[in-house]
Amino acid sequence: MRALIFPGQGSQAVGMARDLAAAFPQAKAVLDEVDAALGQPLSRLMFEGPVEELTLTTNAQPALMAASLAVLRVLEAERGLDLTRDVACVAGHSLGEYAALAAAGSLTIADAAKLLRLRGAAMQEAVAPGAGAMAALIGTDLDTARSLAEQAGGGAVCDVANDNGGGQVVLSGDREAVERAIGLAAGRGIKRAVMLNVSAPFHCRLMAPAAEAMAQALAAVTLNAPRVTLYANVTAAPVAEPEAIRKALVEQVTGTVRWRESVAAMAEAGVDRFYELGAGKVLTGLVKRIAPQASATAIGTPTDVAAFAL
């Protein structure tokens, strides 16, 4: 059984989807659709940079979705992939969930692009610059990370943002609380704790204003039931009803991305082949650590497309 998975922020890179768009009209059509929806030549920024502008949350989020859907459309046209016939389920990491929803037909590509542009802006504006922070804990488990976050909080916000798997858990919250957590990490037997170079503290309670903004935006968008099973970040379980999807997307802004549990649940359901569509190979590496009995392959270039076989 196959699963398609879609990367989140941090996987963007200058040149993403450029070779794909040059080689395949289906990829270019997706990027043109996103450019038109945003009223901005985002594809040019994806191809040429500068990296500082591409990395801005408001650009990186729709760009990553566009790259992922470009790959999907090429696989459908060139390799005969039929989502409902050949794919058991889809899932995406954080913003990747919007790409998964677009892939599954729940959202149009244009609506996904507009929502991600708004999501990026709302998350950026929710917390004053420098007031929040995120840190990656390497070599730990979820329970240890939760306990550490609680100890470090001390009246400030310090939440578990991502349970990525492979011993990697990310904390998010007020800068002083996250810094305290880093100082306490060694005493908890955690191998390494490092601050992340991010523009805002994503997936924590400080993102409540962004969650409100997304609730309003999602209420105005048509959501269809997905054509294939979709695993939600906040539940690590399938979600099918449009209203349940809407609720999960709002909760995702402040909630934990339960990626480890999501991959484990898909593997438990029989998935033995994971394909990461779009930019980078971050999720491919995580899958190999979470479900070592399954194969994981990243597809983002014409060469990757040529190597794909049903």
Side-chain angles (χ1 to χ4, degrees), residues 154-242:
V157 171
C158 189
D159 296 338
V160 172
N162 303 354
D163 178 18
N164 284 333
Q168 184 192 116
V169 181
V170 176
L171 302 184
S172 181
D174 289 304
R175 178 168 292 275
E176 66 271 22
V178 174
E179 288 173 346
R180 269 198 301 274
I182 287 179
L184 293 165
R188 296 295 190 114
I190 295 167
K191 194 181 297 180
R192 226 159 35 99
V194 292
M195 294 290 274
L196 297 178
N197 183 22
V198 294
S199 56
F202 306 125
H203 298 292
C204 74
R205 286 168 283 165
L206 297 177
M207 288 287 116
E212 289 175 25
M214 290 312 296
Q216 289 182 23
L218 285 159
V221 169
T222 300
L223 271 172
N224 302 310
R227 290 185 291 136
V228 294
T229 300
L230 180 131
Y231 281 76
N233 283 185
V234 292
T235 60
V239 59
E241 292 298 322

Side-chain angles (χ1 to χ4, degrees), residues 13-24:
V14 172
M16 60 197 282
R18 181 177 56 207
D19 293 348
L20 208 67
F24 302 109

